Amino acid sequence: MHTVSLRSLRPARRGFTLIELLVVIAIIAILVALLLPAVQSVREAARRSQCQDHLHNIGVGLHNYEGMAKGLPPGYISRGVTATDPATSDTGPGFAWGSMLLPQIEMKPLYDHFDFSADTDDHHNIHHGAEPIALFRCPSDVGAETFEITTRHGDVERIAMANYVGMYGYGNPSMAPGNPVDKGAFYRNSFTRFANITDGLSNVILVGERTSRHNFRQGMPAVDASSTWYASIPQAAPRPGGMMMPSMTEESPSLVLGHVGQPAMGGMPAMTHTPNSTNHILNFSSLHPGGMHYVMGDGKVSFISENVNYNVFRWLGQVADGNTVQAP
């Protein structure tokens, strides 16, 4: 008589074969590859929404400032210059529209630290000018919170990074920072009233995005395009400008202002670039796919495509050119 053990009645245990394990790993990899773009897309949508919210709050602050002062803050302040003097004539103080706006964006304690009778390259002032302000940063640009500049005294200082610059209009802020060919809302010693924006508040850009690095031209080196809320530091060391001629430079107004192009000059053709299309540091730009945010004169935040018609883009940057186009 044969005895049958219970163990022999149980099915034999069987592990995964190498092929089965590889198949499972491949399926997981495919699922991750399919999910990753969706996760990244959700994250960018959240960052884009937060960026829009930042600009909305800046727009509210600008409206509050205009209501109080009966005009928008200056693009930046410079003493003892005429409208046509170049940026190299600036002697100070240099405080920019972002500094003037601090009390309207709940940053009055920082505003109160500044000595507005002194220049922005003064050691006391520039120390506070290095304070990062989250409201002035686009969440999609994860660069450093500060960057280096060299002052007219030869000192290397750090100032706060920002991703939003004021609209200068059409012209060259280095050659004539106080005299755009076609005015935007902000330029040297400007005082733009809403009544001066005759093209209509909803048809004019006040402030727009600029990423900290421009790398839009294939075959050309990326360019540091760092901007700040703080100041156009008087005669700060020039930074890279036109990429067709690497020796070209821009001056300190480019720290706080952006333009929608400029006329031909010095043998160079006119600049007629749409956003995200050139490494030139005065251009508007962003890391959002397809375009960037702008605060319009009525306080609305518009997302404008990088493929916008250039003439439409230029007209949106000018306050009184007679072309009443709306942001597409």
Side-chain angles (χ1 to χ4, degrees), residues 217 220 241-248 267-269 271 273 278 280:
R217 299 295 296 274
M220 292 186 177
M243 286 293 96
M244 290 180 68
M245 293 179 64
S247 62
M248 289 179 63
M268 294 294 294
M271 289 188 181
H273 301 297
T278 173
H280 191 265

Side-chain angles (χ1 to χ4, degrees), residues 87-104:
T88 51
S89 299
D90 289 335
T91 59
F95 288 101
W97 64 272
S99 296
M100 303 291 102
L101 197 64
L102 292 177
Q104 279 69 45

Side-chain angles (χ1 to χ4, degrees), residues 166-185:
M167 175 57 79
Y168 173 79
Y170 182 80
N172 188 325
S174 294
M175 298 297 294
N179 190 36
V181 176
D182 280 299
K183 287 182 171 62

Side-chain angles (χ1 to χ4, degrees), residues 2 25 34 51 135 177 212 214:
H2 297 286
I25 291 173
L34 291 172
C51 177
L135 189 67
S212 58
H214 282 180

